[in-house]
Amino acid sequence: MFWKKFIRNLSKLGRAMLIPIVAMPAVGILGRLGASDMLNIPLMETASNAITGNLDMLFAFGGVLAFADSKDKSYALIGAAVGLFSFKACLAALDPNIGMGVFAGIIVGVLSAILYNHSRKWNTPEMFSFFTGEKFIIVLAPIFAIPLALIFYLIWPPIQNGLDVLAMWMAGSGALGIFLFGFLNRALIPVGLHHVINSYLWFQMGSFVNAAGETVTGDIPRFLAGDPTAGVFMTGLYPVFLFGLPGACYAMYKCAKKEHQKEVKSLMVSNALTDIVAGITEPTEFAFEFVSPKLYLLHAIYSGLGGVIFYFLGARLGISYNVDIIDYILNFNLGSKAILILPVGIAYFFLYYFSFKAVILHDNVMTPGRADDDNTTAEITEDEKDFKLATTDFSYLAKKLVQNLGGKENIQTLDACITRLRIQVKDGSKVNYDKIRQTGVKGIVKLTDTDLQIVIGADVQKVKKAMEEYL
């Protein structure tokens, strides 16, 4: 039971995380095109950086949308925002070197939603009534952020310091170090700690005297200065970013349900272009990392393996901005055997495509376009899709459904898929199933005491809209 509940909540979080990544493709492309080596338009970079600098807030909102138990989540969203402001400020005051990335947003967002679910029901003295109920989270979140910051002040620095030591060890460990860099560079993305390893290898590891007699340090500056030993750590990510992840996008598109493929195609084409042109991989990675640890483990292994392949082939190609097609072209002559990235990349496209497709289908992974709004339901039947209600008075039908579901105050959540209303009620004993069937609906699926689905047919969206207006 616990494991089933955990997987269900992880799936909810994964679907909610798709919401903030809608902004990522445009942000990534704006930032790349506005860079000094491209169109050199600082305003475009500024617009992009404003979003990427606040990704933790977007993910906090995603956590709230996933776990807040109410139809109107506006107060919970505001609570998460003020909670995150306080959490980050407290962490910075305690230790300005702590950086949690988007993980801070996910943690604060999810915990704010849980706190909101409980605190809005608490009884408080009447004199405090203005601040309690739905609004109580706005008061509690910044207070709750203080002990939360103290906890992460204690547990996060040892994690960061340990990874810093690991990065220094990897720098001198040959093929094994290169594999671990590629593996951890991707594996640590969900918690934002990949930057800890990157910062040492990119900007501190090694030294080189350039043509002007200046000493530069770090893999990126040394590569750009012409150091023939630099660039080996990033080479293995080129086939992943330019070919592998687009292959994963294609697999997710092919595995989507037919009725969702058009929508998924738009998302995956956008994600693949962002991988290739901007080197921003999070939109693609967030589409599968939360719903399938197995897929993300494969992705991390492939990333490490790419570096090992090029280490033994003697190929190297560093970066100036990011791992993208633009850096590949601009830095081609600075690298060694960079042409080998193309055939290895083509192999990576098929490696990702076939392995991702196999895992998605075998494990029934709920990647975009595969999951219904609630994946605990039975399959939608063909006759449901063609079913038509006897009435077209959707306002009247909505009123009767709400009444027989126990009234407005008993409806916790209301959503719809292709043919069914998906409803969560507070008290299942108040639901009159016989009366609901008498309205002319095709059927009712009772999932739990408080979760049910009403089979409406082709008019489901119209009924849902009428119910929302009545509520």
Side-chain angles (χ1 to χ4, degrees):
M1 178 66 72
F2 172 79
W3 179 249
K4 196 171 184 180
K5 185 176 181 181
F6 173 77
I7 294 298
R8 185 175 180 183
N9 285 333
L10 193 64
S11 179
K12 282 174 62 178
L13 181 62
R15 290 197 296 273
M17 291 302 105
L18 294 176
I19 298 169
I21 67 169
V22 171
M24 293 297 290
V27 167
I29 292 172
L30 272 177
R32 190 65 189 98
L33 293 178
S36 58
D37 61 334
M38 289 293 292
L39 300 179
N40 193 24
I41 303 176
L43 205 58
M44 291 176 67
E45 278 195 290
T46 299
S48 174
N49 293 339
I51 304 300
T52 55
N54 291 284
L55 279 180
D56 51 4
M57 184 65 70
L58 295 181
F59 281 89
F61 291 164
V64 170
L65 294 174
F67 292 103
D69 292 337
S70 67
K71 293 184 286 291
D72 182 357
K73 304 178 192 289
S74 54
Y75 290 117
L77 291 170
I78 296 172
V82 297
L84 185 60
F85 292 150
S86 300
F87 177 73
K88 291 170 64 176
C90 290
L91 266 186
L94 293 166
D95 185 348
N97 295 316
I98 294 178
M100 292 181 61
V102 299
F103 190 62
I106 295 172
I107 288 290
V108 172
V110 171
L111 293 180
S112 294
I114 295 172
L115 182 59
Y116 166 77
N117 292 339
H118 291 85
S119 65
R120 68 195 184 100
K121 302 174 185 177
W122 293 348
N123 292 320
T124 56
E126 188 175 346
M127 63 183 295
F128 298 118
S129 60
F130 177 79
F131 301 97
T132 54
E134 299 284 327
K135 297 189 285 290
F136 206 4
I137 185 62
I138 302 174
V139 177
L140 294 175
I143 299 172
F144 177 71
I146 297 173
L148 189 64
L150 287 169
I151 292 171
F152 279 93
Y153 165 69
L154 295 174
I155 67 175
W156 207 253
I159 298 173
Q160 284 193 181
N161 293 337
L163 289 174
D164 195 43
V165 171
L166 178 62
M168 289 187 279
W169 175 82
M170 287 191 301
S173 299
L176 177 59
I178 290 172
F179 173 82
L180 283 176
F181 168 77
F183 178 85
L184 293 174
N185 183 273
R186 296 297 92 193
L188 294 173
I189 282 279
V191 293
L193 284 171
H194 60 299
H195 293 300
V196 178
I197 291 177
N198 290 349
S199 61
Y200 174 78
L201 294 172
W202 285 1
F203 303 113
Q204 298 181 49
M205 182 186 68
S207 62
F208 177 73
V209 180
N210 62 20
E214 301 168 334
T215 300
V216 295
T217 60
D219 197 60
I220 293 177
R222 288 190 296 112
F223 174 77
L224 296 175
D227 185 348
T229 67
V232 294
F233 280 90
M234 298 306 298
T235 315
L237 294 180
Y238 274 99
V240 175
F241 284 36
L242 302 186
F243 296 91
L245 286 173
C249 288
Y250 188 51
M252 287 187 279
Y253 160 68
K254 294 294 287 184
C255 291
K257 295 180 179 179
K258 288 184 179 180
E259 61 266 24
H260 298 314
Q261 279 194 335
K262 184 176 181 180
E263 179 182 354
V264 173
K265 180 180 179 180
S266 173
L267 175 64
M268 291 304 157
V269 168
S270 176
N271 285 357
L273 287 175
T274 306
D275 296 329
I276 295 168
V277 177
I280 304 294
T281 60
E282 284 84 351
T284 300
E285 290 164 332
F286 287 139
F288 62 83
E289 72 177 41
F290 290 104
V291 293
S292 176
K294 185 186 293 187
L295 284 179
Y296 206 73
L297 177 62
L298 275 180
H299 173 47
I301 292 172
Y302 293 159
S303 299
L305 183 63
V308 175
I309 291 171
F310 290 118
Y311 175 80
F312 287 113
L313 289 176
R316 64 181 182 88
L317 186 65
I319 65 172
S320 56
Y321 177 85
N322 209 344
V323 182
D324 55 41
I325 188 63
I326 298 167
D327 262 30
Y328 177 77
I329 295 171
L330 294 179
N331 298 331
F332 187 88
N333 291 330
L334 291 175
S336 301
K337 300 181 181 179
I339 192 67
L340 294 177
I341 289 174
L342 297 180
V344 173
I346 293 172
Y348 256 58
F349 177 89
F350 291 106
L351 174 65
Y352 268 76
Y353 171 71
F354 286 113
S355 61
F356 267 56
K357 185 177 180 181
V359 172
I360 291 170
L361 295 178
H362 181 270
D363 293 356
N364 194 27
V365 179
M366 293 299 135
T367 47
R370 286 182 59 77
D372 293 320
D373 295 324
D374 186 329
N375 60 12
T376 61
T377 182
E379 289 293 323
I380 302 295
T381 58
E382 288 300 320
D383 61 330
E384 285 183 31
K385 298 177 183 179
D386 298 327
F387 177 74
K388 283 281 187 181
L389 293 165
T391 179
T392 57
D393 189 348
F394 301 120
S395 296
Y396 176 77
L397 176 61
K399 179 180 177 181
K400 299 304 293 183
L401 288 176
V402 170
Q403 289 174 351
N404 293 313
L405 285 165
K408 297 180 181 180
E409 65 283 351
N410 196 42
I411 298 178
Q412 192 92 342
T413 62
L414 169 67
D415 214 327
C417 67
I418 302 167
T419 61
R420 302 180 181 186
L421 292 172
R422 301 175 185 271
I423 300 160
Q424 183 182 58
V425 296
K426 295 178 182 177
D427 185 351
S429 66
K430 294 181 178 180
V431 179
N432 191 327
Y433 290 93
D434 291 334
K435 289 290 186 180
I436 292 175
R437 291 188 182 94
Q438 290 173 17
T439 62
V441 301
K442 185 170 180 61
I444 304 172
V445 180
K446 185 178 179 181
L447 300 173
T448 68
D449 288 340
T450 57
D451 293 278
L452 66 145
Q453 299 170 4
I454 302 175
V455 183
I456 299 294
D459 293 321
V460 64
Q461 293 297 336
K462 297 175 182 177
V463 177
K464 179 196 171 190
K465 183 179 179 182
M467 289 181 70
E468 288 175 334
E469 290 175 352
Y470 181 73
L471 291 170

